[in-house]
Amino acid sequence: MRLIRKYATSSKNVYNELKARGMIAQVTRSVRLQKTLETRKITLYAGVDPSAESLHVGNLAVLVTLLHFHLHGHNVIPLIGGATGRVGDPGGRTSERDLMAVDRVERNASSITNQVQHFFTSAAQHVSHQQQAAPTILNNLAWHGSLSLLSFLRFPGKHLRVNALLTRDSVRSRLGSSQGISYAEFSYQLLQAYDFWILHKDHGVELQVGGSDQWGNIISGVELIRRAGAPESELDPAEDTVHGLTIPLLTTSTGEKFGKSAGNAIWLDKSMTSVFDFYQFFLRVSDAEVLPYLKYLTFVPVEEIETLYEEHMKSPEKRVAQQRLASEVTAMIHGVAALDGARLASSVLFDSSPGEHSGSNKKETGRAESILQAIGEHPRLRRASAEEVLDQPVTRVVSKYGLSASHSVAKRLLQSGGLYLNGTRITQLERRLERSDFVDGRVAVLRAGKEEHLILELQ
């Protein structure tokens, strides 16, 4: 499948590009921001807290938004929440977060910093076909770490009004719950507001970008900068020199957020979510999800996306839109070579024999390694010696390694036409595994029905 050739946009204004993709949920003084972006380049930031050792697909929309600005020539600052991650954002939660150990927050922050840097180099190169310098990544522990409680109460505490803070969704929803909200989590929006002020003062930041659940925190930053820069009698939102912009949250078809706390995280770290499972996640999204995902998470031009979706809806069973989505995002995050491995593994597991995979032939070598790299350390993978599996009845092998509950169940499965070897239905009850059944002499795939697999790696 053809991937994006080179980043192209119908608009020189990144605001119009985001709007065409449906990526603007809320924005302060939209007309002024739009005009500013038409006339000059700005500095902007988005933050991410190190609540886990890896980012997940729920973080991708914000990163992609920053990359849109980056490719349009704006100066972007990804901010790692080394300080705010020690407190925890109450947004989107009905209960208090458990405090993480400080050393774990620090390890997570280091890991996520490396991930963000990798994203901006690899994703930008994939999209623009040019080597791109990664933006400067900052950590808010640099300024919060030396801020005393008294200093914090004087600034930003003196400039933000409690009655306004209480109206934020993240606070209001928790005040009505049985657990309430701790002072620590209530103060989170002050910490984020202080981030915006510091970045505005020291780095000339004019815009903060975040998911739509961050709107209240972003507004607190806008208000802090306004109040810190003018006497109380002269406060006028119309004179704001900074802006906030949120993008729609990436959710499932049932409206759930992605993330660790939701229990549905698809991680960007391939050691936590294999490249194969990452690719398969996007390949399996619903028809209702695939159009916004293509617009939010890829750089395929909007006109091409709409044409592709129209083609897809004529024959939705072919899933051409999902294939394009899975290919673009996997290549952007993990690289084209990893994408090829995920495609090959998908072909082996679900479609046909390994040699029938598009772009490969039975004389090729290295296909087994591609499959293994794409799948990673997955529960479906079993390693076996030649003595354990070669010249053994297939039914014995699938029962031994857990694909069927017992040898008799395996026999019934075979007789009913539900047992496959490398995509081909097994019809002989006494069929035995041979070395030639293993791709490159290393990997064979047994399947029960449509979904259950056993991948054997010959040691």
Side-chain angles (χ1 to χ4, degrees):
M1 174 175 289
R2 177 177 61 85
L3 297 175
I4 186 171
R5 292 177 180 172
K6 190 174 181 180
Y7 181 62
T9 173
S10 58
S11 172
K12 293 182 179 180
N13 187 336
V14 66
Y15 185 94
N16 293 338
E17 177 70 18
L18 297 177
K19 187 175 181 180
R21 290 176 176 272
M23 293 179 71
I24 298 178
Q26 301 145 298
V27 62
T28 60
R29 299 193 58 77
S30 59
V31 174
R32 173 178 286 189
L33 177 59
Q34 189 171 6
K35 288 182 178 179
T36 298
L37 294 172
E38 285 175 353
T39 56
R40 61 183 175 85
K41 304 303 180 185
I42 68 167
T43 301
L44 66 146
Y45 92 100
V48 57
D49 278 347
S51 56
E53 58 190 293
S54 171
L55 300 173
H56 53 76
V57 295
N59 303 118
L60 264 184
V62 170
L63 290 178
V64 167
T65 302
L66 286 184
L67 187 52
H68 273 292
F69 276 94
H70 183 63
L71 294 173
H72 275 81
H74 298 278
N75 180 34
V76 304
I77 299 176
L79 179 68
I80 308 300
T84 44
R86 298 185 183 191
V87 175
D89 185 355
R93 295 181 61 90
T94 58
S95 61
E96 190 85 5
R97 289 180 185 269
D98 293 329
L99 286 178
M100 282 194 297
V102 171
D103 61 340
R104 183 181 172 193
V105 176
E106 291 174 348
R107 288 196 305 271
N108 290 352
S110 176
S111 175
I112 287 176
T113 299
N114 292 334
Q115 266 192 335
V116 171
Q117 187 166 22
H118 175 75
F119 171 82
F120 275 96
T121 53
S122 65
Q125 185 171 3
H126 167 71
V127 171
S128 67
H129 293 196
Q130 294 177 348
Q131 200 73 31
Q132 297 275 341
T136 300
I137 301 172
L138 300 179
N139 187 319
N140 62 15
L141 188 62
W143 47 86
H144 285 300
S146 58
L147 186 65
S148 70
L149 176 60
L150 283 177
S151 297
F152 176 75
L153 291 175
R154 289 175 62 86
F155 188 92
K158 189 68 174 176
H159 291 274
L160 292 174
R161 298 294 178 260
V162 171
N163 56 339
L165 299 177
L166 290 173
T167 66
R168 309 301 187 215
D169 288 342
S170 59
V171 173
R172 193 172 64 246
S173 62
R174 290 283 294 281
L175 287 175
S177 70
S178 59
Q179 283 201 358
I181 186 170
S182 68
Y183 178 74
E185 288 199 353
F186 176 76
S187 301
Y188 183 92
Q189 56 186 311
L190 279 78
L191 296 175
Q192 188 166 325
Y194 190 75
D195 288 343
F196 201 171
W197 180 79
I198 283 286
L199 292 171
H200 175 64
K201 178 175 69 76
D202 295 346
H203 299 273
V205 167
E206 298 177 59
L207 172 66
Q208 182 182 173
V209 172
S212 57
D213 60 342
Q214 294 297 307
W215 180 245
N217 295 335
I218 292 173
I219 290 300
S220 293
V222 173
E223 290 180 353
L224 176 61
I225 293 168
R226 181 196 310 148
R227 290 179 176 275
E232 188 77 22
S233 59
E234 298 178 10
L235 294 178
D236 183 1
E239 299 303 318
D240 283 342
T241 57
V242 295
H243 299 272
L245 183 151
T246 65
I247 58 178
L249 289 178
L250 196 66
T251 61
T252 67
S253 57
T254 59
E256 291 180 302
K257 287 175 58 176
F258 289 101
K260 182 181 65 174
S261 57
N264 60 357
I266 304 297
W267 305 103
L268 305 193
D269 186 333
K270 64 182 179 182
S271 69
M272 298 171 68
T273 297
S274 70
V275 178
F276 170 79
D277 287 326
F278 186 88
Y279 175 79
Q280 282 291 319
F281 165 77
F282 288 104
L283 200 60
R284 294 180 179 183
V285 301
S286 68
D287 289 340
E289 296 166 318
V290 70
L291 183 59
Y293 283 16
L294 276 165
K295 290 182 177 180
Y296 297 170
L297 302 181
T298 80
F299 290 81
V300 178
V302 174
E303 298 82 0
E304 188 176 338
I305 290 173
E306 291 172 347
T307 300
L308 174 67
Y309 190 69
E310 289 177 7
E311 177 190 347
H312 164 77
M313 293 308 295
K314 293 175 183 177
S315 303
E317 71 282 358
K318 295 181 179 179
R319 304 183 75 75
V320 293
Q322 284 88 346
Q323 289 181 43
R324 183 66 183 274
L325 171 68
S327 297
E328 289 288 347
V329 181
T330 303
M332 184 169 65
I333 300 301
H334 295 295
V336 174
L339 167 63
D340 289 342
R343 284 173 170 172
L344 176 58
S346 298
S347 176
V348 170
L349 291 174
F350 299 111
D351 297 331
S352 59
S353 64
E356 295 173 13
H357 172 68
S358 175
S360 69
N361 60 71
K362 293 187 177 182
K363 294 183 179 179
E364 277 189 285
T365 59
R367 290 172 293 128
E369 187 62 29
S370 296
I371 294 170
L372 293 170
Q373 287 183 3
I375 291 171
E377 292 295 328
H378 199 282
R380 62 171 63 90
L381 177 65
R382 295 288 186 273
R383 295 179 174 91
S385 66
E387 292 76 15
E388 291 175 304
V389 295
L390 292 185
D391 201 34
Q392 295 295 315
V394 171
T395 50
R396 293 274 183 199
V397 173
V398 299
S399 60
K400 177 179 180 178
Y401 290 97
L403 187 59
S404 69
S406 66
H407 187 214
S408 59
V409 171
K411 283 184 174 181
R412 289 197 297 272
L413 182 65
L414 187 153
Q415 290 169 334
S416 65
L419 191 58
Y420 298 79
L421 173 60
N422 294 337
T424 301
R425 180 180 285 119
I426 302 172
T427 57
Q428 298 174 337
L429 189 59
E430 296 304 319
R431 174 70 157 85
R432 294 172 180 266
L433 279 181
E434 302 172 0
R435 187 172 291 276
S436 60
D437 293 322
F438 288 78
V439 179
D440 297 339
R442 289 184 63 190
V443 177
V445 180
L446 289 152
R447 172 161 57 92
K450 293 183 177 180
E451 298 290 341
E452 298 298 320
H453 296 89
L454 167 64
I455 304 171
L456 286 175
E457 180 185 5
L458 205 58
Q459 298 281 273

